[in-house]
Amino acid sequence: MEKTDNNLFTNNLEYLLAQEDDVINNIVEKSMILSHEQKVIPPLKANKSANLYDFIQMIGKVVSKAMSEDQVEFVFDEGKRLSSDPNKKFDHPYITYKVLSRKTLMELKPRERESSISEVAQSDKDKRHGRIYGQKFKSYIQFNIIASEYTQADRVMNVFEDLIFSYTHYFKKNGVAEILFEDHLTDKEYDVYRHFLSVRNLVYYVEIEKLFVMFDSDIEGIFIK
């Protein structure tokens, strides 16, 4: 495929992903405004808030759309093991994942990011004031590529690495602070598959800043009740 065709495909795919995310994950910036200036809350290194689940959903979307030609299936259930029966036919590649670790990054508890925010309402009387809190997390995530033979496993691995790099800006725009390749290893837990399949294990370092809103009226309502 020519370079211009690759660019066109990448742009079209990102447009489709953005269209879905505008509906599904557009939480903070459309549901809240600054109380006095009536402006959308400025992004904190991202347009949206995200958590580890959101990141995995993004990876799954990219894989399913960009790797459909190879019929690659992304398994969303963390740590799920595929059948180890050598008689079972694997007619397409799989990508599974497991979280090696997830820890806070420099912040042991959520810290205030913005204050004096209010929920969009029909009138000033209905507005609720509160604050945005955030907390940064660092995670190491292992992606496991399982295919019927080694040439297919290597091809899927290379394409997957290229996708992570190509769509880094897409992940960051949707709440991922950083994503970096960490390691290519041979996980002994997957030796049972290597007797009849080809397996590749990749580890990525991921930073995510999780934002959430706490309204003053919600806190007061808990104690009033």
Side-chain angles (χ1 to χ4, degrees):
M1 184 180 289
E2 296 294 333
K3 183 177 181 180
T4 54
D5 293 337
N6 281 329
N7 292 336
L8 180 60
F9 175 77
T10 299
N11 292 336
N12 288 339
L13 176 57
E14 184 175 354
Y15 173 77
L16 292 174
L17 293 168
Q19 288 291 96
E20 293 185 17
D21 289 332
D22 284 342
V23 176
I24 298 173
N25 196 28
N26 203 1
I27 300 172
V28 174
E29 75 280 7
K30 281 193 175 180
S31 62
M32 311 296 170
I33 57 173
L34 292 176
S35 58
H36 300 297
E37 298 179 357
Q38 299 293 302
K39 293 181 180 179
V40 175
I41 294 172
L44 305 174
K45 298 183 181 179
N47 292 337
K48 303 172 184 177
S49 172
N51 53 37
L52 188 57
Y53 168 80
D54 297 324
F55 170 68
I56 294 301
Q57 295 298 308
M58 285 184 252
I59 292 288
K61 286 181 183 179
V62 170
V63 168
S64 63
K65 292 180 181 296
M67 305 180 76
S68 59
E69 185 174 335
D70 285 322
Q71 297 182 309
V72 179
E73 180 179 343
F74 186 86
V75 180
F76 288 91
D77 191 1
E78 181 198 349
K80 184 173 183 178
R81 304 295 294 269
L82 303 179
S83 173
S84 58
D85 183 359
N87 296 317
K88 176 179 172 58
K89 183 179 179 181
F90 283 75
D91 53 1
H92 62 271
Y94 291 86
I95 297 179
T96 66
Y97 81 98
K98 66 177 181 179
V99 178
L100 301 180
S101 70
R102 176 175 176 263
K103 300 178 181 179
T104 57
L105 179 62
M106 300 176 65
E107 299 174 309
L108 297 180
K109 61 181 182 180
R111 298 177 62 183
E112 185 175 323
R113 298 290 194 260
E114 294 284 345
S115 60
S116 299
I117 62 167
S118 62
E119 188 176 30
V120 174
Q122 295 296 324
S123 64
D124 292 339
K125 180 181 178 181
D126 297 327
K127 289 180 180 178
R128 297 190 300 164
H129 295 272
R131 298 169 178 83
I132 291 182
Y133 289 84
Q135 188 173 22
K136 292 183 179 180
F137 295 88
K138 60 179 181 179
S139 303
Y140 289 92
I141 304 174
Q142 178 176 311
F143 295 98
N144 312 294
I145 297 164
I146 303 172
S148 59
E149 46 90 27
Y150 76 94
T151 58
Q152 187 179 49
D154 285 338
R155 183 173 69 252
V156 171
M157 178 184 68
N158 289 328
V159 173
F160 181 76
E161 290 180 0
D162 291 345
L163 287 174
I164 296 296
F165 175 76
S166 300
Y167 287 92
T168 295
H169 61 291
Y170 163 72
F171 299 131
K172 288 187 175 182
K173 184 177 67 175
N174 287 280
V176 178
E178 190 63 270
I179 175 169
L180 300 169
F181 178 86
E182 178 71 21
D183 198 7
H184 178 182
L185 53 83
T186 300
D187 189 338
K188 297 298 183 182
E189 289 186 12
Y190 289 82
D191 283 352
V192 63
Y193 294 105
R194 290 189 173 91
H195 293 299
F196 61 101
L197 295 168
S198 290
V199 182
R200 303 291 181 269
N201 307 113
L202 304 175
V203 178
Y204 279 84
Y205 170 79
V206 181
E207 285 183 18
I208 293 177
E209 182 174 20
K210 183 178 180 180
L211 303 177
F212 60 95
V213 178
M214 184 175 295
F215 287 109
D216 295 338
S217 58
D218 291 339
I219 299 174
E220 294 172 0
I222 292 175
F223 290 101
I224 292 175
K225 291 180 180 180

